């Protein structure tokens, strides 16, 4: 009599299908939110000057060392650190849209609800699904806000492409030689403020990380700012093919599963090189990138928003005794 298999979970093909569904929805939501924000909302540009290669190197080192810190922090400190991170990123995006009290009410409510759901609702599949849906709001808002902070702050497409290519090497290194990616999946799953967009299907979880969503939205928004709709179409296609489909079906080739069935998806290892070579192609065939000023003056930004923003600028008033321009001088 044949032995009964000890594992009744979904097959690798079904897990890949779940991953494609989740990653597609997560990527689409993030880049749509980031694009809407880029076209309609102006952030106050931080006083950081212009982006250079050194800035990208610093950002890469910071993001590369952060996961190492995550897996060694005590749970309470890690949750507190994630709460501060989400608070900072989301509040950046909400400040131009809401009053200060409303910003803190929304951010505090989302974080508090997430912690409560993680503590009380993960005993059932429905509870997991509710938790993942609420967690997705935090992650999408955070990724879209930070992407706009960088793109509106001066980050160019060439910077994003170099950043993605660098992360590709990091992704390969810390997925194969040093399994930090696997350790992070174990560390975050089932606890508050998971920095990924996911969903529960039976006993299986499928998720896409905040870092991947940030890179996709950065590349999409920077492409739109640099080359308009044609750049956005190319960037969106690359995100779908090399950021969603490729990493989701990679396990069918490498068949990498951990003890709990969590997925190891080397997303940037696939997307990073594609993004870099796509930028080189755009630069060669479409010329230099537009500046932020040129982007705001183009048809890609709703004119009503530009007019409204200009109307909000204070009109300088003449000082006492000063003759306004165009007015006749005294005694003339």
């Amino acid at each position: 009599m044949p032995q009964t298999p000890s594992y009744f979970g979904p097959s690798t093909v079904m897990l890949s299908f779940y991953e494609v569904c989740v990653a597609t929805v997560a990527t689409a939501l993030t880049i749509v939110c980031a694009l809407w924000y880029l076209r309609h909302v102006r952030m106050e540009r931080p006083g950081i000057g212009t982006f250079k290669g050194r800035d990208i190197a610093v950002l890469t080192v910071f993001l590369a060392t952060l996961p190492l810190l995550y897996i060694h922090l005590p749970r309470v400190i890690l949750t507190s650190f994630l709460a501060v991170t989400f608070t900072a990123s989301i509040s950046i995006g909400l400040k131009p849209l809401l009053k200060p009290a409303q910003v803190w009410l929304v951010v505090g409510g989302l974080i508090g609800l997430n912690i409560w759901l993680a503590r009380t609702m993960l005993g059932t599949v429905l509870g997991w699904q509710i938790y993942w849906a609420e967690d997705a709001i935090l992650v999408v808002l955070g990724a879209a806000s930070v992407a706009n902070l960088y793109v509106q702050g001066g980050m160019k497409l060439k910077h994003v492409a170099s950043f993605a290519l660098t992360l590709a090497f990091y992704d390969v290194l810390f997925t194969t030689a040093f399994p930090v990616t696997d350790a992070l999946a174990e560390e975050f799953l089932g606890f508050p403020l998971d920095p990924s967009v996911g969903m529960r299907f039976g006993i299986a979880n499928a998720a896409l990380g905040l870092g991947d969503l940030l890179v996709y939205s950065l590349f999409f928004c920077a492409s739109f700012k640099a080359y308009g709709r044609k750049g956005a179409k190319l960037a969106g296609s690359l995100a779908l093919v090399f950021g969603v489909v490729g990493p989701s079906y990679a396990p069918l080739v490498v068949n990498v599963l951990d003890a709990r069935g969590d997925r190891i998806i080397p997303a940037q290892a696939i997307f990073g090189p594609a993004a870099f070579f796509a930028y080189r192609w755009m630069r060669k065939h479409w010329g230099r990138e537009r500046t932020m000023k040129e982007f705001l003056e183009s048809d890609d930004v709703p004119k009503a928003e530009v007019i409204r923003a200009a109307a909000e600028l204070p009109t300088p008033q003449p000082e006492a005794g000063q003759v306004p321009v165009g007015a006749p001088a005294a005694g003339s």
Side-chain angles (χ1 to χ4, degrees):
M1 183 175 180
Q3 293 183 348
T4 303
S6 59
Y7 176 65
F8 291 92
S11 65
T12 305
V13 175
M14 286 305 301
L15 287 172
S16 295
F17 175 73
Y18 295 155
E19 188 66 42
V20 166
C21 294
V22 171
T24 300
V25 173
T27 302
L29 283 175
T30 306
I31 63 177
V32 166
C33 288
L35 178 63
W36 180 89
Y37 199 100
L38 179 64
R39 298 182 70 234
H40 294 87
V41 183
R42 297 279 70 80
M43 281 184 169
E44 181 180 354
R45 179 166 178 167
I48 55 178
T50 58
F51 275 91
K52 299 179 180 179
R54 180 180 58 186
D55 301 309
I56 302 301
V58 172
L59 179 62
T60 302
V61 171
F62 174 74
L63 293 180
T65 56
L66 202 57
L68 301 177
L69 180 64
Y70 282 161
I71 61 179
H72 290 96
L73 285 176
R75 172 55 52 184
V76 175
I77 298 179
L78 176 59
T79 301
S80 301
F81 187 84
L82 290 171
V84 172
T85 302
F86 276 115
T87 299
S89 60
I90 297 175
S91 62
I92 288 172
L94 292 182
K95 281 181 179 179
L97 301 173
L98 302 174
K99 297 178 180 179
Q102 295 173 327
V103 170
W104 298 118
L105 181 63
V106 171
V107 175
L110 287 173
I111 291 177
L113 178 60
N114 186 279
I115 295 175
W116 181 81
L117 289 172
R119 297 299 185 190
T120 62
M121 297 290 288
L122 300 187
T124 64
V125 173
L126 178 60
W128 270 97
Q129 292 172 341
I130 294 174
Y131 164 77
W132 275 125
E134 196 275 345
D135 191 69
I137 299 175
L138 286 168
V139 175
V140 169
L141 288 179
S145 298
V146 174
N148 271 274
L149 176 67
Y150 281 118
V151 173
Q152 293 193 32
M155 179 178 275
K156 297 181 179 180
L157 181 58
K158 67 176 182 179
H159 300 134
V160 179
S162 300
F163 179 53
L165 183 63
T166 304
L167 288 181
F169 292 101
Y170 165 85
D171 212 9
V172 171
L173 180 64
F174 287 96
T175 301
T176 56
F178 306 98
V180 174
T181 304
D182 184 35
L184 284 175
E186 297 281 353
E187 186 73 16
F188 289 128
L189 189 62
F191 291 97
L193 303 175
D194 191 320
S196 56
V197 175
M199 185 49 62
R200 183 88 171 195
F201 302 94
I203 66 171
N205 284 288
L208 183 63
L210 171 60
D212 296 325
L213 291 171
L214 175 59
V215 174
Y216 300 160
S217 54
L218 276 172
F219 187 72
F220 186 86
C221 289
S223 298
F224 182 72
K225 185 186 80 170
Y227 298 110
R229 287 173 171 81
K230 59 183 179 182
K233 290 178 181 178
L234 179 57
S237 300
L238 288 173
L240 177 62
V241 175
F242 296 99
V244 173
V245 177
S248 297
Y249 283 105
L252 294 179
V253 179
V254 299
N255 196 24
V256 179
L257 293 172
D258 70 7
R260 297 195 312 189
D262 296 320
R263 311 296 305 285
I264 302 176
I265 305 173
Q268 294 310 311
I270 300 175
F271 178 78
F276 181 79
F277 288 114
Y279 158 70
R280 298 299 301 175
W281 185 91
M282 286 187 277
R283 181 71 174 82
K284 179 179 179 180
H285 291 83
W286 296 340
R288 69 170 183 86
E289 302 180 41
R290 293 186 298 189
T291 63
M292 190 65 188
K293 181 176 183 296
E294 292 171 335
F295 166 71
L296 294 177
E297 294 173 349
S298 70
D299 294 334
D300 293 320
V301 178
K303 297 304 179 184
E305 294 296 328
V306 176
I307 294 173
R308 181 178 60 82
E312 292 175 352
L313 295 176
T315 303
Q317 300 295 328
E319 299 178 359
Q322 180 180 359
V323 179
V325 177
S332 60

